[in-house]
């Protein structure tokens, strides 16, 4: 199983609301998709069409109402704890708002170190690993000693990417990773994502409402509308 | 004819590492009934400039210069005099509608408060005016919308609620701070259309603050580009999009999707210790020796003002 694919098979998600009279709203309706290592699958759709829900389901952060997510041949719902742990490090998610993904009370060094420790990197090699990760996303050592609010949105999003890269993921689900950023910074992050993919062979699921951005990064594009995913 | 004159405006903050100049000696004229787009990267000081007009800056801001509106310097007005200007004459559409609206009060109550406080209209009548305003803003069921809380509306709808509040009293100047940030294409189009319609209908002037040149292109007559607290280029929109003069303006335009997402090289400098000379020179592909030594002044080229030695 050298390069497993990430696959969603007939995944549906419905939410109920109301205390007495339960109303059911189907957000995702039998959605299937597959992404392989080294490729980028773009998911496009307007706000509120369930793009983020789909991202959370394929990263295992939310359970589908029906259907299954597969990593390689293994269904996510049948994974044992140790397998699930490995899955979590192999399939990562990057969210829209980088400030919301970082602890505002901790300096960047601590936020990064917490993840680095999970990888089992020995203490004496941690600094070196930190600097290497920062370099790979185009940042320098001085950001380590700052808080998220002292960095720009683009710098914070790079920090989030560096943190994800420690885990050497095979897949990253990127949920609107540039929509909170300026046009110029957006362009920097898109080029960075492309370079990282070339260097590591990661697969991306790139979620965005912005057609031009999705077209720029994706090999294939799916459009989410009325709960269904349509491929062109 | 100018409706707002900003002269040598400086906004400073004291920080542990030294004074931070968010706006550095900016002079800008906003003409009557025009849409002036103030464009630049996040953190360049554009919101601070917009907020300074209505004295909505944080309490620790140190402000100097003049902002002239109908012969009065707005910066010298007291808090007691400001409500006459705020909302009535000049209104502000804050960025991020989910944070700008009160989450525990219905949107109807928040809009009718504008009529109640500024025009002393009775609550019942204010609610009726609110329904009419919501209808004009394109909501087909205004009474229902008025009874909802911000979390029950989409980002685009909340943005329209903020615009409704801003135009309720028919102000002469509307300052819209990133009104389309984070919205999808359909909602963006909706908000742009709304702003354009209201501006024309009320013959107001619009100061559009945005990082998005695409939005500026659709709405504005003139573009002002801001970099690291300073205005580096002011140009008629048509001339700007035909060929901007400042290297930063060019780089900004190049980063747009239709030009292939070419990023501006490097990162924005610290505003506590900005580079000597031209602030853009460390990132500029056309820099000369003088750029690192001396700060350029504004040079006039046809109808464009540009702060760059290339156009001496």
């Amino acid at each position: 199983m050298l390069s497993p694919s990430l696959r969603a098979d007939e995944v549906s998600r419905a939410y109920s609301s109301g205390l007495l009279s339960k109303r059911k709203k189907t957000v995702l309706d039998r959605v299937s998709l597959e992404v392989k290592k080294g490729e980028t699958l773009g998911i496009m759709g307007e706000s509120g069409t369930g793009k983020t829900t789909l991202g959370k389901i394929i990263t295992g952060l939310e359970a589908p109402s029906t259907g299954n997510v597969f990593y390689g041949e293994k269904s996510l719902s049948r994974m044992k704890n140790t397998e699930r742990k490995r899955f979590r490090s192999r399939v990562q998610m990057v969210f829209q708002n980088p400030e919301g993904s970082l602890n505002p009370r901790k300096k960047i060094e601590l936020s990064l170190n917490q993840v680095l420790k999970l990888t089992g990197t020995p203490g004496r090699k941690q600094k070196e690993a930190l600097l290497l990760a920062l370099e790979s996303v185009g940042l320098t050592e001085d950001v380590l000693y700052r808080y998220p609010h002292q960095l720009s949105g683009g710098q914070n999003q790079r920090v989030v990417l560096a943190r994800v890269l420690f885990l050497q993921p095979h897949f990253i689900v990127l949920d609107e990773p540039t929509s909170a950023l300026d046009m110029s910074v957006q362009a920097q992050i898109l080029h960075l994502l492309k370079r990282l993919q070339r260097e590591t062979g990661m697969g991306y699921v790139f979620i965005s409402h912005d057609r031009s951005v999705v077209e720029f990064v994706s090999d294939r594009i799916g459009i989410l509308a009325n709960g269904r995913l349509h491929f062109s | 004819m100018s409706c707002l004159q900003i002269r040598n405006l400086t906004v400073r903050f004291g920080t542990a590492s030294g004074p931070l100049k968010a706006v550095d000696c900016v002079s800008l004229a906003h003409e009557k009934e025009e849409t002036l787009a103030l464009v630049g990267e996040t953190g360049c000081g554009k919101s601070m400039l917009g907020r300074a007009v209505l004295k909505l800056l944080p309490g620790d801001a140190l402000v100097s210069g003049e902002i002239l509106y109908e012969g009065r310097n707005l910066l010298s007005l007291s808090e007691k005099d400001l409500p006459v200007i705020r909302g009535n004459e000049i209104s502000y559409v804050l960025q991020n509608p989910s944070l700008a609206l009160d989450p525990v009060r219905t949107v109807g109550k928040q809009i009718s408060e504008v009529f109640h406080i500024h025009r002393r209209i009775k609550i019942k009548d204010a609610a009726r005016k609110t329904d009419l305003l919501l209808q004009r803003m394109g909501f087909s069921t205004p009474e229902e919308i008025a009874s909802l809380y911000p979390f029950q509306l989409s980002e685009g709808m909340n943005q329209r609620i903020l615009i409704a509040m801003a135009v309720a009293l028919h102000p002469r100047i509307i300052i819209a701070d990133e009104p389309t940030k984070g919205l999808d294409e359909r909602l963006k189009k909706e908000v742009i259309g709304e702003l354009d319609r209201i501006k024309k209908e009320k013959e107001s002037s619009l100061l559009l603050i945005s990082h998005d040149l695409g939005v500026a292109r659709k709405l504005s007559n003139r573009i002002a580009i801001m970099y690291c607290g300073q205005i580096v280029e002011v140009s008629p929109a048509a001339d700007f999009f035909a060929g901007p003069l400042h290297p930063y303006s060019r780089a900004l335009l190049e980063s747009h999707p239709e030009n292939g997402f070419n990023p501006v090289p490097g990162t924005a400098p610290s505003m506590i210790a900005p580079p000597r000379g031209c602030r853009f020179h460390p990132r500029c592909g056309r820099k000369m020796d003088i750029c690192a030594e001396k700060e350029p002044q504004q040079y006039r080229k046809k109808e464009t003002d540009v702060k760059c030695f290339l156009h001496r």
Side-chain angles (χ1 to χ4, degrees):
Chain A
M1 206 173 71
L2 270 173
S3 55
S5 68
L6 183 64
R7 185 159 60 88
D9 189 19
E10 300 264 305
V11 161
S12 296
R13 184 72 172 101
Y15 294 101
S16 346
S17 62
L19 194 62
L20 297 171
S21 60
K22 289 272 184 209
R23 282 187 301 266
K24 231 178 178 184
K25 190 177 180 229
T26 303
V27 180
L28 298 174
D29 184 12
R30 289 163 290 148
V31 168
S32 298
L33 62 86
E34 184 174 17
V35 59
K36 294 194 172 79
K37 275 193 80 180
E39 78 161 345
T40 301
L41 171 67
I43 307 280
M44 221 157 73
E46 291 182 353
S47 299
T49 47
K51 305 189 293 295
T52 298
T53 305
L54 179 60
K56 284 182 175 172
I57 286 173
I58 56 179
T59 43
L61 296 176
E62 198 171 317
S65 305
T66 59
N68 267 311
V69 174
F70 292 87
Y71 179 59
E73 295 306 311
K74 197 89 184 179
S75 159
L76 206 55
S77 59
R78 289 173 181 270
M79 279 183 185
K80 292 177 192 148
N81 274 349
T82 46
E83 288 173 316
R84 211 174 166 88
K85 245 185 171 173
R86 197 175 314 133
F87 169 80
R88 282 223 189 281
S89 66
R90 291 289 177 248
V91 182
Q92 284 284 308
M93 188 156 179
V94 169
F95 295 93
Q96 175 176 355
N97 187 350
E99 285 81 7
S101 305
L102 295 165
N103 188 335
R105 289 166 171 270
K106 304 258 186 279
K107 285 188 179 164
I108 299 299
E109 185 175 24
L110 204 72
S111 285
L112 291 176
N113 261 334
Q114 279 174 337
V115 180
L116 198 56
K117 275 180 194 158
L118 294 177
T119 64
T121 309
R124 63 196 153 78
K125 290 206 167 170
Q126 278 180 8
K127 190 65 180 274
E128 195 185 323
L130 278 181
L131 295 178
L132 262 175
L134 287 179
E135 197 189 325
S136 71
V137 294
L139 292 173
T140 48
E141 188 179 352
D142 59 314
V143 301
L144 289 177
Y145 316 115
R146 299 203 213 166
Y147 291 96
H149 75 269
Q150 294 173 312
L151 301 179
S152 69
Q155 284 174 317
N156 276 325
Q157 198 61 295
R158 285 168 193 260
V159 169
V160 170
L161 278 171
R163 190 170 61 170
V164 160
L165 291 175
F166 284 145
L167 300 165
Q168 298 178 331
H170 289 172
F171 294 97
I172 306 182
V173 175
L174 301 139
D175 184 13
E176 303 270 14
T178 60
S179 67
L181 307 176
D182 287 352
M183 288 286 174
S184 57
V185 184
Q186 169 176 276
Q188 288 178 351
I189 297 290
L190 294 179
H191 283 278
L192 169 66
L193 285 170
K194 281 190 151 192
R195 177 172 64 77
L196 290 173
Q197 188 175 49
R198 271 198 310 273
E199 288 170 5
T200 63
M202 288 181 289
Y204 293 149
V205 176
F206 194 101
I207 298 171
S208 177
H209 63 255
D210 192 327
R211 188 188 176 134
S212 53
V213 170
V214 174
E215 283 177 349
F216 182 72
V217 293
S218 308
D219 301 302
R220 288 184 298 130
I221 296 173
I223 295 168
L224 200 56
N226 302 319
R228 304 299 303 264
L229 187 63
H230 308 273
F231 286 95
S232 48
Chain B
M1 199 181 130
S2 301
C3 60
L4 195 71
Q5 277 270 359
I6 298 172
R7 286 185 191 159
N8 303 324
L9 179 71
T10 297
V11 179
R12 278 178 301 147
F13 294 92
T15 72
S17 323
L20 180 151
K21 271 190 190 173
V23 180
D24 189 8
C25 209
V26 164
S27 295
L28 195 64
H30 191 189
E31 304 300 323
K32 215 174 160 192
E33 289 180 38
E34 79 162 348
T35 297
L36 172 65
L38 186 58
V39 181
E41 289 169 289
T42 301
C44 72
K46 44 190 199 305
S47 292
M48 288 295 143
L49 192 152
R51 282 168 172 260
V53 174
L54 284 176
K55 291 184 85 172
L56 293 172
L57 291 166
D60 58 343
L62 300 163
V63 188
S64 63
E66 280 183 330
I67 299 177
L68 298 173
Y69 173 73
E70 295 203 325
R72 280 180 295 177
N73 180 8
L74 296 178
L75 293 178
S76 62
L77 293 185
S78 66
E79 277 300 316
K80 212 176 118 202
D81 297 326
L82 276 165
V84 183
I85 303 288
R86 286 182 186 150
N88 274 317
E89 302 282 325
I90 306 172
S91 67
Y92 202 97
V93 182
L94 290 158
Q95 62 171 296
N96 201 341
S98 316
L99 292 177
L101 290 164
D102 185 340
V104 294
R105 299 175 69 222
T106 63
V107 293
K109 277 198 177 143
Q110 295 184 58
I111 299 173
S112 59
E113 197 176 52
V114 177
F115 297 112
H116 183 58
I117 292 176
H118 285 276
R119 296 278 151 91
R120 302 196 182 284
I121 293 172
K122 284 182 186 158
I123 289 173
K124 219 175 176 182
D125 297 329
R128 216 170 22 243
K129 272 181 149 319
T130 298
D131 289 346
L132 278 172
L133 181 61
L134 285 171
Q135 205 164 20
R136 274 214 326 271
M137 293 298 295
F139 290 104
S140 53
T141 52
E143 281 172 41
E144 192 195 334
I145 294 292
S147 70
L148 298 176
Y149 291 89
F151 78 89
Q152 292 173 299
L153 300 170
S154 70
E155 279 287 283
M157 285 162 122
N158 279 329
Q159 190 69 67
R160 275 155 68 195
I161 298 292
L162 279 182
I163 295 172
M165 287 165 82
V167 301
L169 306 175
H170 305 180
R172 293 175 60 191
I173 302 171
I174 304 166
I175 303 172
D177 193 355
E178 298 281 11
T180 58
K181 195 169 184 177
L183 299 183
D184 65 33
E185 284 307 310
R186 186 176 58 84
L187 295 175
K188 210 184 253 188
K189 224 172 167 180
E190 228 171 73
V191 170
I192 289 173
E194 209 69 64
L195 280 170
D196 199 33
R197 186 180 64 78
I198 287 163
K199 193 197 135 269
K200 283 177 185 151
E201 209 176 282
K202 309 286 175 212
E203 295 176 352
S204 308
S205 309
L206 178 64
L207 176 60
L208 174 74
I209 298 173
S210 180
H211 71 275
D212 189 340
L213 275 170
V215 175
R217 183 178 215 159
K218 284 180 186 133
L219 276 173
S220 60
N221 311 102
R222 278 195 309 147
I223 310 261
I225 300 291
M226 199 162 177
Y227 183 75
C228 198
Q230 299 179 330
I231 301 284
V232 295
E233 180 166 354
V234 184
S235 172
D239 294 355
F240 182 89
F241 289 105
L245 298 185
H246 198 282
Y248 175 62
S249 312
R250 280 174 185 270
L252 211 53
L253 205 55
E254 282 293 302
S255 69
H256 273 243
E258 59 273 25
N259 297 321
F261 290 108
N262 296 309
V264 183
T267 50
S270 153
M271 289 170 93
I272 296 172
R276 224 180 128 223
C278 168
R279 293 187 178 180
F280 186 62
H281 88 263
R283 304 171 78 184
C284 183
R286 301 179 68 190
K287 67 179 167 221
M288 303 174 286
D289 291 342
I290 191 173
C291 304
E293 290 156 16
K294 223 174 138 189
E295 189 178 322
Q297 60 181 78
Q298 294 269 11
Y299 298 102
R300 184 92 176 156
K301 227 171 171 203
K302 288 184 186 165
E303 286 183 76
T304 298
D305 289 314
V306 59
K307 196 175 166 70
C308 177
F309 288 119
L310 287 170
H311 304 283
R312 268 183 291 182

